[in-house]
Amino acid sequence: MDTASHLMFGATLGGLALLDPAVAQQPVLAHAIMAATLVGSNAPDFDTIVRLKSYSAYIRIHRGVTHSIPALLIWPLLISFPVTGLFQVWEHFHLIFLWAMGAVLYHVLLDWFNVYGVQCFRPLSNKWKNMDILSLFEPFLFVIHGAGLIIWSFMGSKVHTGWLFLGIYAATLIYIVVRSYQHHKGQSLLVLCAKGACQLYGAR
């Protein structure tokens, strides 16, 4: 998906982490997790730096190895150590790592769901995979996650932030399921139309 959406999802994942009382009661830990999710939600796209070399190199490399199976472990490790050290929350390293991994995984899943596709199964397979369910930019997701951040900003002390974002992610899941149903239903209709057209042509 687009960079702005990934960045927003990183922020809302940081808000979702406040469901954990241990995180909600420790502002330093909450800030550390927020940093980890913000970086993690964008880390797979750091391969855009190859665009400085050439656009063809960017097309060839983007959404490749940085979105692969090993990257799901490597990115969180690269993020967790400096973030944990910066905020000095070594006793919670596992939480920083898990939330960073969640952000990276969510990024890769969203890229897999859209039309452009991703080589997310490397090194097992170098084939490009795409579900073609979501657009590069999804207005509905952008609006509900943005609204959640605005509510958090202005009413943070009056709402349970963790539950707020749990509801938003539940709505996100429902939206993706509905889009998936619509996509597969549409495919079925296309197949039926194609078969009908072939039969009609054959009858002639």
Side-chain angles (χ1 to χ4, degrees), residues 56-158:
S56 60
Y58 166 75
I59 294 298
R60 188 170 60 254
I61 295 173
H62 184 51
R63 293 191 176 191
V65 66
T66 57
H67 291 64
S68 65
I69 293 174
L72 299 180
L73 178 63
I74 295 171
W75 282 125
L77 285 172
L78 292 176
I79 294 166
S80 300
F81 279 107
V83 168
T84 306
L86 178 64
F87 289 89
Q88 288 298 298
V89 286
W90 290 105
E91 67 275 19
H92 298 293
F93 177 84
H94 64 291
L95 283 177
I96 306 295
F97 176 83
L98 288 174
W99 280 101
M101 176 177 280
V104 172
L105 178 60
Y106 190 48
H107 176 115
V108 174
L109 282 174
L110 289 175
D111 283 355
W112 183 24
F113 286 155
N114 66 47
V115 67
Y116 290 93
V118 64
Q119 290 179 303
C120 56
F121 293 109
R122 293 180 66 173
L124 302 179
S125 172
N126 289 339
K127 291 183 178 179
W128 289 87
K129 304 291 184 179
N130 74 295
M131 300 291 285
D132 195 15
I133 294 171
L134 300 177
S135 303
L136 185 62
F137 174 76
E138 284 289 343
F140 175 77
L141 297 183
F142 194 86
V143 168
I144 63 170
H145 284 262
L149 292 176
I150 291 172
I151 293 171
W152 186 16
S153 298
F154 290 97
M155 301 179 61
S157 60
K158 299 179 181 179

Side-chain angles (χ1 to χ4, degrees), residues 3 7 10 18 20 25 35 40 44 48 55 62 67 72 88 107 114 125-126 164 185:
T3 302
L7 188 63
L18 294 174
D20 185 346
Q25 294 167 12
T48 54
Y55 185 71
H62 184 51
H67 291 64
L72 299 180
Q88 288 298 298
H107 176 115
N114 66 47
S125 172
N126 289 339
L164 169 66
K185 185 179 180 181

